[in-house]
């Protein structure tokens, strides 16, 4: 998969991940939707394989 943007997990809150991209944007993503979001949006998250 080609990365449109790279991101990293900042913190985990229950089943939510706080994600920060390389431009400083943040998002809360449910753990069960993490791979779906990565595939649909072209996000590569450090340490996450789907």
């Amino acid at each position: 998969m080609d990365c449109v943007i790279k991101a990293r997990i900042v913190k985990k809150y229950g089943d939510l991940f706080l994600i920060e991209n390389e431009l400083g944007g943040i998002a809360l993503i449910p753990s069960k939707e993490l791979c779906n979001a990565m595939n649909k949006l072209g996000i590569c998250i450090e340490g996450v394989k789907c």
Side-chain angles (χ1 to χ4, degrees):
M1 171 177 77
D2 291 332
C3 297
V4 173
I5 197 160
K6 294 179 182 173
R8 66 184 184 92
I9 296 173
V10 176
K11 193 163 186 174
K12 185 173 180 181
Y13 297 99
D15 73 333
L16 297 173
F17 287 103
L18 179 64
I19 307 295
E20 179 183 28
N21 69 28
E22 60 193 0
L23 302 175
I26 58 171
L28 276 173
I29 302 176
S31 58
K32 63 183 178 186
E33 294 296 326
L34 199 57
C35 287
N36 191 27
M38 288 175 64
N39 292 330
K40 286 188 175 182
L41 301 174
I43 301 169
C44 291
I45 300 174
E46 293 176 9
V48 177
K49 299 282 185 201
C50 292

